[in-house]
Amino acid sequence: MSLTARFSCLSDYDPDALSVEQARAFIRSQLTPVRTQERVALRSALGRVLASDVIAPFNVPVHDNSAMDGYALRHADLAGSGETRLRVIGTALAGKVFAGSVGTAECVRIMTGALPPAGCDTVVIQEVVKLDGDQVIVPAGQRAGQNIRLAGEDLAAGKPALAAGRLIRPAELGLMASLGCAEVSVYRRLRVAFFSTGDELCSIGTPLADGEIYDSNRYTIFGMLTRLGCEVLDLGVVGDDPATLEAAFRDAAAAADVVITSGGVSVGEADFVKPLMAQLGEVLFWKIAMKPGRPMAFGRLGSRGGGGDGGDEHAAWLFGLPGNPVAVMAAFYQFVRDALQALMGADPLPGVPLLPAVSSVAMKKAPGRTEFQRGVLGHADGKWSVRPAGAQGSGVLRSMSEANCFIVLEHERGSVAVGDAVHVQLFDGLV
Ligand code: AMP
Ligand code: MG
């Protein structure tokens, strides 16, 4: 079934008034991830997606070991009530095994990570014992097995430590290192080509002529794609001329998995882009009930009817974003980011969390569209409060730069009063 037909099947989806959730869900339902794998050195796997399960080749931890600095002893030697005196006969250090054997009423000084000597089943922390020459006095109340991490308690040999589809972050790098993985299988990087459209655009490095502006979208798009770990292909500025545009779309679709353009999808401009798209593939033109970022095109270039990686004919997904610089970023974060992660083979993520905050100012808003205001979230008087980051025009990158979050004003919501609860999406994550 063609993309158009699949979209038309959704009876409550109006291309001229699509909600953010509908657009996101439709895009997500169409994508098939890349499946080509490659082996890379562990460090190079950061930000990539695991292509096969990582199985623990041994127990983690490998051996029983002490969780604390203290004394390793045989629990059976301790008096049921009252103190017990034990003789310290040696020391077990991390990486230095105490080879002797521990007899009745004896113990060994032990450091975190060290193997408990044979026979010792319990570690008593150093803070609770009293020292008396070569003896320690252990108070009552010690539990058998305490302060010993058991072999395999984190992960048993043969069990999957990480499943394919996992986005690799610093914790995964460390976990794989702990299993001795020097190389891992990841999906290949997603190739994303992008260009800007508009006769008014000038690339940096060239003086502006009358009526021209610098192309900023290629820089925000470059940044957003690079952060996601995509291989980027910058195809420059393309004028509003059908022949040049057609060539650019063909080149981009041939070279990449995904093509991202900015500009040319607003009413008027879309009128001449639409027939062009009909020749090159299958592209839906939407007006999304959101601000900023209303017009957007989504589709497939180079192959009719869609399909996934490995089809007969190469086809690229197209995201035709609006031209306004902030609209580009809002549309990217709300639609393209998720889509790219799905295409990379990453497990479906729960989406960017919507966190509660209190609005410190009133905001005008009409129900019937989702608004993404640029906001500044701050902590004061024991609560997180948010205010708009200045002028909210869809071309104002300065307020985007000053913001640290989107204030997400939901579709059905009306105006916001001072002190109202709102939701925010943070720009920066911890990892
Ligand atoms: P358009 O969607 O092509 O009608 O563009 C909407 C607005 O965004 C116009 O003011 C354009 O000049 C501006 N614009 C489009 N593309 C870019 C770009 N790459 N960099 C900066 N501004 C742009
Ligand atoms: Mg334009």
Side-chain angles (χ1 to χ4, degrees), residues 16-36:
D16 289 328
L18 209 56
S19 73
V20 169
E21 290 72 26
Q22 287 172 326
R24 195 183 283 137
F26 181 75
I27 293 169
R28 184 68 192 81
S29 70
Q30 301 306 306
L31 307 172
T32 321
V34 299
R35 284 291 165 221
T36 315

Side-chain angles (χ1 to χ4, degrees), residues 44-64:
S44 310
L46 185 63
R48 307 287 295 269
V49 177
L50 206 56
S52 54
D53 295 352
V54 173
I55 306 294
F58 45 73
N59 281 329
V60 180
V62 185
H63 330 91
D64 294 356

Side-chain angles (χ1 to χ4, degrees), residues 266-273:
S266 52
V267 182
E269 287 188 313
D271 292 344
F272 92 93
V273 178

Side-chain angles (χ1 to χ4, degrees), residues 197-200 240 262-266 269 323:
T197 71
D199 284 336
E200 76 280 29
D240 294 313
S262 68
V265 289
S266 52
E269 287 188 313

Side-chain angles (χ1 to χ4, degrees), residues 196-197 200-201 213-217 262-264 266 269 322-325:
S196 296
T197 71
E200 76 280 29
L201 300 178
I213 56 168
Y214 282 120
D215 172 9
S216 56
N217 291 344
S262 68
S266 52
E269 287 188 313
N324 270 310

Side-chain angles (χ1 to χ4, degrees), residues 46-118:
L46 185 63
R48 307 287 295 269
V49 177
L50 206 56
S52 54
D53 295 352
V54 173
I55 306 294
F58 45 73
N59 281 329
V60 180
V62 185
H63 330 91
D64 294 356
N65 67 88
S66 180
M68 303 294 281
D69 291 345
Y71 295 86
L73 49 84
R74 301 151 22 128
H75 191 260
D77 290 351
L78 298 180
S81 57
E83 295 177 334
T84 308
R85 271 181 182 269
L86 300 173
R87 197 161 65 84
V88 184
I89 61 163
T91 304
L93 300 171
K96 274 223 174 72
V97 176
F98 175 83
S101 67
V102 178
T104 307
E106 292 176 343
C107 69
V108 161
R109 172 125 177 84
I110 192 164
M111 298 303 176
T112 305
L115 276 56

